[in-house]
Amino acid sequence: MHAAQGHEIAIMRPLGTDIRQQNDSRIAFREPTMTTKPDSLQQWVNEVAELTNPAAIHWCDGSDAEYEDLIKQMLADGTLSELNNESYPNCYLHLSDPNDVARVEHLTFVCTSEEDDAGPNNNWMAPAEAHAKVDALFAGAMQGRTMYVIPYCMGPIDSPFSRCGVEISDSPYVVVNMKLMTRMGTAALARIEREGEGDFVKGLHSTGDLSPDRRMIMHFPEELSIKSIGSGYGGNALLGKKCHALRIASHQARQEGWLAEHMLIVGIENPDGETHYIACALPSACGKTNLAMLIPPDSHADWKVWTLGDDIAWLHLDDEGRLRAINPESGYFGVVPGTNSKTNKNAFDMITHDAIYTNVGRTSNNEPWWEDKQVGEPAYDWQGRDYDASNGPAAHPNSRFTVAACNNPSYSSLAEAPDGVPISAIVFGGRRKELAPLVYQSKDWKHGVLVGAGVASETTAANVGEVGVVRRDPMAMKPFCGYNFADYWAHWLSFDERSDKLPKIFHINWFRQDKQGKFLWPGFGENLRVLRWIIERCEGRVDAIETAIGYLPKSGDIDTTQLDISDATMQALISIDKAQWLEEMSAIGEYLDSYGDRLPAALKAEQQKVVDQLSQA
Ligand code: SAT
Ligand code: MN
């Protein structure tokens, strides 16, 4: 009980307080203004129906009954199959088209009127051309299908920081996933009605014919709209997620002075009952979900971990200059393979009920199966074939679970807090075999922005393409920033002038390997030891070694009690190779230069500072 109360201490206003009383002009503007569907919504629905020619239109209310009806319908038509109802109650399996299993960055576009506003980090198409191309594919696309109108709210339904959208989709799979992942239905529609015309994001989606040749994910940030056709896969089809909450929202956030980031949000409660919240950006499929619901190891049994979110954070400065975070989502769309009772027991438990699985295998008794599940044997693979190891893994490497966040045993009681949680530390990271130490801290905010901008990671199966190649992924936002990275970094830098209470910025790397390819750090629950050092740094309770790249832990300051790790390995994990780092910093310099004149001079100056210090040292 005491611990749970300690967990509540971090929030300043009690849950449910009417934050409209805050001195915030944007909130006043959001007072109820309408009591009927905004004209623009009804009009847009009519226009879409005219273009796509559906057999029926269904306005989603987000109720459990509606969810159950759609599940029944999909069981009947084979879109879903039921999993073992005794061991996996209310769990269903969807097997997608084998050509439609991941995001498609090469078919994803940001369509701003000026090409430079999208930047070299995005594929760009002129809005008129993009509309024409994609509308041609939408013409008649919903013939014989039901068109679902899905109102949703990204963020707690009463939060001034939340934003609404409406997705129109011809996929009932999308509807049930949106129900698990967002606050979807009547309450969201009521908020849209209240906020009025022009304030919500319009997302149009059709699975089309699922042909990769006729697949496009188009974003129109200036119009607050999205058009996605030809894919039913999560990141391409659940438009509230990457399309709205990152690409469109990041664009909006820049104009309005906040941040929409690819970050998990986690609360770490120490044995004294004090909770620090950390926002952490890692590229897709680098363990964000595992970190967000970490289970403390036995050596740290008196610590607690609370999950706010596993993928996206919206960050705002509060009146006192602290950065506060909300999770726009209310569910998880996580990678399944590798999940077991040792790597992520919370996730392993939470997906035993009320979950939708996409592209995993099955056992002979109809339980879901995936590589490294560590129980059961595969009988069928993710394409529904009899399992045969020569066909590859039983579960697709990017197979996913969808569950409501409240399924999670470590679900934070502040997950629905309208004003979010105060962030003590921002953590960037990547998947790097070598170079990047286990953890280091940036010297200050500006240097931290450089650390974020320099993030690189080996690619994973979350996107179609080669796996294991190192590529730059600034702030883990390469696939998700809805505008020019140069402007994005300038926006990040601007926070320095707005507050003197900003979080400290760190970089982590769980993935260092030795020459034999063995991971040096045990990872998973043991990562709490690193988070603990981060928190102690935030509290000013532990010293560090100043180096050219930032502050490194002193040997012995990362607790290794009950850990089977040699001093030499630990030393390798927290030291840097100057020659390698000089190379890395010059590669980062070249990368930054590729943004040309728009690159903020202050960021280049930070990079030069590190180069100078490395050369002197
Ligand atoms: O496919 S999603 O974008 O939803 C998941 C991910 O890649 O992080
Ligand atoms: Mn992600």
Side-chain angles (χ1 to χ4, degrees):
M1 204 55 223
H2 174 75
Q5 281 162 4
H7 167 54
E8 301 279 356
I9 284 171
I11 191 122
M12 305 329 275
R13 265 174 233 99
L15 267 168
T17 302
D18 187 356
I19 35 187
R20 287 209 187 89
Q21 287 160 10
Q22 276 179 266
N23 180 19
D24 182 332
S25 55
R26 192 177 64 75
I27 296 166
F29 166 69
R30 298 168 85 82
E31 282 294 315
T33 52
M34 302 191 62
T35 50
T36 53
K37 270 182 209 110
D39 290 346
S40 63
L41 173 55
Q42 188 62 60
Q43 197 183 324
W44 175 58
V45 169
N46 296 345
E47 282 165 14
V48 169
E50 200 150 302
L51 174 67
T52 60
N53 198 20
I57 300 180
H58 174 106
W59 286 76
C60 297
D61 62 14
S63 65
D64 294 346
E66 176 182 79
Y67 179 86
E68 283 152 24
D69 280 351
L70 288 171
I71 295 280
K72 263 189 220 138
Q73 176 194 315
M74 286 188 279
L75 288 171
D77 70 17
T79 306
L80 293 182
S81 57
E82 195 170 8
L83 291 164
N84 189 318
N85 202 33
E86 256 152 58
S87 43
Y88 286 82
N90 304 318
C91 288
Y92 305 95
L93 172 63
H94 172 69
L95 301 184
S96 76
D97 185 295
N99 281 317
D100 185 30
V101 293
R103 282 183 290 101
V104 281
E105 285 163 27
H106 59 295
L107 304 175
T108 300
F109 291 79
V110 169
C111 311
T112 42
S113 28
E114 297 294 326
E115 179 167 5
D116 268 358
D117 289 342
N121 45 305
N122 282 301
N123 301 313
W124 175 84
M125 203 183 284
E129 185 190 349
H131 281 300
K133 277 218 165 95
V134 76
D135 286 354
L137 297 174
F138 272 108
M142 297 192 188
Q143 246 162 60
R145 303 180 188 173
T146 298
M147 179 174 115
Y148 299 94
V149 182
I150 315 166
Y152 62 86
C153 179
M154 300 311 287
I157 196 85
D158 294 324
S159 169
F161 308 132
S162 300
R163 293 301 168 94
C164 292
V166 176
E167 175 166 359
I168 296 181
S169 173
D170 56 7
S171 161
Y173 169 83
V174 164
V175 179
V176 293
N177 275 275
M178 287 292 283
K179 154 94 169 155
L180 297 176
M181 296 294 299
T182 70
R183 292 89 173 163
M184 186 275 269
T186 310
L189 184 59
R191 181 166 170 157
I192 291 168
E193 287 167 356
R194 212 168 61 222
E195 290 175 347
E197 192 170 334
D199 211 34
F200 64 95
V201 170
K202 297 182 175 81
L204 173 56
H205 169 254
S206 168
T207 47
D209 63 5
L210 289 179
S211 161
D213 299 335
R214 283 176 291 282
R215 185 175 294 165
M216 286 181 184
I217 326 292
M218 302 298 206
H219 301 74
F220 305 91
E222 293 155 354
E223 303 165 24
L224 295 186
S225 82
I226 305 156
K227 291 183 177 177
S228 163
I229 190 158
S231 169
Y233 170 76
N236 305 326
L238 310 178
L239 302 186
K241 195 172 179 56
K242 304 295 163 98
C243 301
H244 177 168
L246 287 177
R247 296 195 191 95
I248 300 286
S250 61
H251 189 275
Q252 239 176 342
R254 178 194 173 212
Q255 290 170 332
E256 298 173 4
W258 50 285
L259 294 165
E261 297 298 325
H262 192 207
M263 291 176 175
L264 66 91
I265 311 163
V266 67
I268 311 289
E269 184 181 326
N270 70 17
D272 296 330
E274 298 155 348
T275 305
H276 279 274
Y277 296 90
I278 294 178
C280 172
L282 298 171
S284 295
C286 281
K288 282 217 306 295
T289 304
N290 292 345
L291 186 59
M293 43 190 80
L294 175 154
I295 294 188
D298 291 346
S299 59
H300 287 66
D302 44 1
W303 289 66
K304 291 196 172 68
V305 173
W306 305 104
T307 315
L308 276 292
D310 80 329
D311 198 38
I312 302 177
W314 284 358
L315 304 153
H316 290 76
L317 286 177
D318 69 11
D319 297 345
E320 283 119 64
R322 277 168 321 178
L323 204 60
R324 304 188 75 92
I326 60 162
N327 173 13
E329 303 188 281
S330 62
Y332 312 120
F333 183 67
V335 177
V336 184
T339 306
N340 62 48
S341 62
K342 284 179 211 80
T343 58
N344 190 341
K345 185 167 186 319
N346 283 331
F348 195 62
D349 290 347
M350 86 181 169
I351 59 179
T352 56
H353 63 99
D354 304 287
I356 296 174
Y357 287 88
T358 301
N359 293 338
V360 297
R362 270 184 305 136
T363 64
S364 56
N365 68 341
N366 207 23
E367 291 181 346
W369 196 90
W370 54 88
E371 276 58 32
D372 219 13
K373 185 182 184 188
Q374 301 194 343
V375 283
E377 295 288 333
Y380 308 99
D381 72 7
W382 66 278
Q383 300 189 56
R385 301 173 298 198
D386 288 344
Y387 175 69
D388 177 345
S390 67
N391 283 333
H396 187 277
N398 194 38
S399 53
R400 297 274 167 164
F401 58 74
T402 320
V403 287
C406 54
N407 262 25
N408 175 8
S410 64
Y411 181 65
S412 165
S413 63
L414 298 182
E416 294 288 338
D419 47 0
V421 292
I423 296 298
S424 301
I426 286 178
V427 180
F428 296 114
R431 182 184 281 272
R432 299 296 298 261
K433 281 195 211 34
E434 39 189 42
L435 185 84
L438 181 60
V439 60
Y440 63 98
Q441 182 187 354
S442 77
K443 297 193 173 167
D444 53 30
W445 181 265
K446 281 206 184 76
H447 175 232
V449 176
L450 174 70
V451 168
V455 165
S457 193
E458 294 152 24
T459 51
T460 68
N463 177 53
V464 168
E466 207 180 336
V467 168
V469 196
V470 174
R471 89 172 175 170
R472 292 276 155 224
D473 193 353
M475 281 79 171
M477 282 287 276
K478 169 69 187 70
F480 308 120
C481 183
Y483 63 106
N484 193 321
F485 259 151
D487 300 339
Y488 171 79
W489 296 321
H491 182 45
W492 263 85
L493 289 168
S494 74
F495 279 72
D496 205 24
E497 279 107 62
R498 293 173 57 199
S499 169
D500 54 9
K501 295 199 190 66
L502 294 172
K504 306 271 184 277
I505 299 180
F506 297 81
H507 186 284
I508 52 166
N509 175 26
W510 312 140
F511 300 96
R512 277 288 285 276
Q513 293 177 12
D514 66 13
K515 297 217 166 60
Q516 287 72 45
K518 191 173 160 273
F519 288 110
L520 295 180
W521 177 250
F524 304 107
E526 307 298 351
N527 292 335
L528 179 61
R529 299 169 190 267
V530 176
L531 300 184
R532 181 176 163 188
W533 182 79
I534 287 174
I535 289 168
E536 284 166 358
R537 285 294 297 165
C538 292
E539 290 175 333
R541 284 209 260 155
V542 64
D543 237 0
I545 301 168
E546 188 171 348
T547 74
I549 70 154
Y551 297 107
L552 285 161
K554 286 183 148 168
S555 101
D557 279 350
I558 292 185
D559 183 353
T560 55
T561 349
Q562 294 179 38
L563 203 62
D564 184 19
I565 194 165
S566 71
D567 288 351
T569 303
M570 220 34 230
Q571 206 42 51
L573 279 165
I574 55 170
S575 50
I576 55 168
D577 179 318
K578 287 212 183 88
Q580 266 189 347
W581 267 99
L582 261 174
E583 255 175 60
E584 176 75 358
M585 287 315 301
S586 98
I588 290 174
E590 271 171 42
Y591 176 70
L592 295 180
D593 286 342
S594 72
Y595 285 82
D597 290 350
R598 273 169 102 124
L599 182 76
L603 192 61
K604 199 59 205 302
E606 286 298 320
Q607 181 264 351
Q608 193 54 50
K609 245 199 269 179
V610 181
V611 171
D612 292 347
Q613 286 175 17
L614 279 166
S615 327
Q616 280 160 20

